[in-house]
Amino acid sequence: MTEGLARGVTGWRVRYWPAWLRGRWGMTAGLTGVYVLGYLAWVSLAQGDEQLRSAASNFALLPIDLIAAGAALSPALDRALPASLRRAWRFISLALFANFLGDLLYFALANGLGVPEGQLALSLADPAYLAFYPLLLVGVLSLPVAPVAGAARLKLWLDLGTGLVAAWMAVWFFIIAPAAQPAGPGWLSQAIAAAYPIGDLVLLAGFLSLIFRRPDAATRAALLFLLAAILCFIASDLTYAALVVAGTFVSGGWADLGWFVASFFFFVAAARQRHYSAEVPPLRPWEAALERLAPALPLLAILFGYGVLLGVQMAGTTERMGLGGVYAGASLLTVLVAGRQAVDLVENRRLNAELRGLSAELEARVIARTQELNQAQEELMAAQKLAIVGTLAAEVVHEISNPLNNIVSASESLEGDLQERGRVEAETLAVYLPIMSRSAWHASRILQSLRSFSRGQTPELAPQNLAGVVQDTLILLAPRLKKSGQLRLAVDVPDDLPRVVCDRNQIAQVLINLINNAQDAMPAGGRISLRARAVAGGVALEVQDEGLGLTEAEQARLFTAFYTTKPIGQGSGLGLSIVERIVRAHRGSVRVFSQGPGHGSTFTIVLPAEAG
Amino acid sequence: MACLLLVDDNADFRTVFQRKFTELGYQVMTAPDGVRGLQAVLDTPVDLAVLDLKMAYRDGLETLRLIRSVKPVTRVIILSALVDEAAEREARALGVSAILHKPIGIKNLAETIRQTLAEAP
């Protein structure tokens, strides 16, 4: 049972307790949290003597201040962290130490020497306290952020200014202007009290700038905790300032709670920062929310600023100094909004121009790329043609060897007769001479078609009789077809079809590719049907096999370059893409039809007929 | 006189071969394909067969195999129009007297046939 409980606790820790908050740091964080909660309980319950409360509260701040300042030293001195990050934390630590010193002096004065707290608004503690703000600001601004430049930087400052002015309006009207009343209790001390809210504003601005400037991974790690710490600190500061202005501040009240919580969060932030690793973590939900919130902040600030103006107006205040500040703030706010609009306008114009430039460049690149592609395809076609010639070469050698052999044999026979008998019989000549001329013509016809096939790449479009083109092509293919004895080629190309405008060589290439494919589709032999017929507007040429057939998926991809259904090493995957390209160049169409695997395939090419 | 058989799908060459070797005193038979070539080997005592390698309806190699199985002593000369090393290696393994490539002419062929017939089968 205990074991199960322990396992449960361990499991919970693994699942919910963050890895960076374990060991001594985790223990300290836990204790500090309990300490803050203890103070909260004490504030809500303690009803004791005012002096005791003040002493207890001022003393209680010291250890937690010290822990926070000490913790901040850890990332400041950690050599594993980037130098800029260490620098930032050095300043944060210094700020926290200054705060600790201020609290220590305040405690010594108020509770050690017994100076009444009402007179402590101007004391030795103030320089230490006031050092806290610039130090922390420098620290926060030193945190690594993504670099911003140009218009983005200007917008950043305008947004910051907007936030700052709006906050200023409230702080001015409620804290600073009343504090500066010469009739109040000790105006210098009140002015100093007012300096704290100003420090807070500056701090807030620094922090906002972090959010606006897209903090980088290192900064993001501890950002949320720093934000919580600073907000708590500011909350306590403002409450303190308001109470001092009203002359009712006493230590040990709710106002002090924010400083406690702030120290706790500074500690946690330092703990988190120590465990930052260089690898960039994905944006967590709250970070994403913060990024989304950032653009809305200036708008909220504007609403807030004008809200203050409206509120002051409706309250009917006649306080001239306070009103003046609010009016000035509202005017400044208006100027900032207008400035922001102007920057946006200019930037939009620039972006538009850039966009136009980009699209023009893109267009040019598309054109260039298309040209390159076209050229590559031309080269591919030429290469495939050469490959066909290479494959055909063996067949051509065979086909030419036979007539040559006939000619040599016949002429040698005649020569022999002549040598032996001094003459050749007319009957012998009548047998041999036709053989010789027939063979010579046969060889020359083969060479002719091969030569015309391997001629240049430029398509030479001319009205052609398809039957003639088919015949010439078949001469080239004859030996190849003969080799596979089980293959039969049934040709039905009428001589009286309308003439089509085409390049003989390219159509020959198409036919060779299609017949080669048909042959490869029927390893066990079968019949290839080559048919042509007149259709509306042109002539349809069909190559049908009884072979393996094609699935629908195969049919869909068939004309894609480098797609092949043949075994590895057998097909280049180029044949049909070239067929498609050639036919398209002829303004024709090519279709494939197959009832599925095992049912053979039919390729139909339609070429436009000669006009008129 | 020896009996020769030419198996070749080229009709003109069959004509020249028939005439010339008859003139030289051989008994000559020709066949346009392997099927009829084998038939001739079975029907008559052929001393020497000249086979083309590449033909429709049973090619030269297939015919050679069948001849070897029915008449192992028949001398065979391969007369091929193409260079097909694999087929030639196989033919050699099946025991042929010579492998010739077209175009060879009638004189060289006659000389090879004479020498082959002079050797013991």
Side-chain angles (χ1 to χ4, degrees), chain A residues 244-396:
Chain A
V244 167
V245 165
T248 58
F249 175 77
V250 183
S251 294
W254 289 98
D256 296 9
L257 186 62
W259 288 318
F260 276 84
V261 182
S263 285
F264 170 74
F265 277 124
F266 275 123
F267 172 83
V268 177
R272 180 70 192 90
Q273 190 74 79
R274 287 175 68 246
H275 272 261
Y276 147 73
S277 70
E279 69 187 82
V280 179
L283 225 54
R284 277 161 292 183
W286 66 264
E287 287 171 334
L290 211 58
E291 284 213 351
R292 273 201 300 277
L293 186 67
L297 285 178
L299 185 68
L300 291 177
I302 290 164
L303 289 177
F304 179 76
Y306 288 130
V308 169
L309 178 66
L310 199 66
V312 168
Q313 287 289 350
M314 281 167 64
T317 322
T318 49
E319 181 64 64
R320 276 181 58 201
M321 192 174 168
L323 269 180
V326 170
Y327 287 151
S331 315
L332 198 52
L333 211 53
T334 310
V335 169
L336 284 170
V337 169
R340 178 64 207 262
Q341 286 297 316
V343 170
D344 274 352
L345 208 67
V346 170
E347 208 193 4
N348 277 346
R349 191 168 296 167
R350 189 180 58 81
L351 283 178
N352 266 330
E354 214 167 87
L355 204 62
R356 270 198 299 276
L358 275 179
S359 73
E361 191 193 322
L362 196 65
E363 209 170 304
R365 274 161 80 170
V366 166
I367 290 171
R369 195 88 187 90
T370 311
Q371 269 172 359
E372 272 170 39
L373 266 177
N374 278 340
Q375 197 184 340
Q377 281 212 325
E378 299 281 342
E379 279 163 18
L380 219 58
M381 273 172 70
Q384 206 250 354
K385 200 151 153 181
L386 274 183
I388 291 180
V389 172
T391 325
L392 291 177
E395 332 278 343
V396 170

Side-chain angles (χ1 to χ4, degrees), chain A residues 505-518:
Chain A
N505 300 324
Q506 292 197 336
I507 296 305
Q509 195 173 358
V510 164
L511 272 176
I512 290 174
N513 279 330
L514 289 181
I515 291 174
N516 274 349
N517 280 349

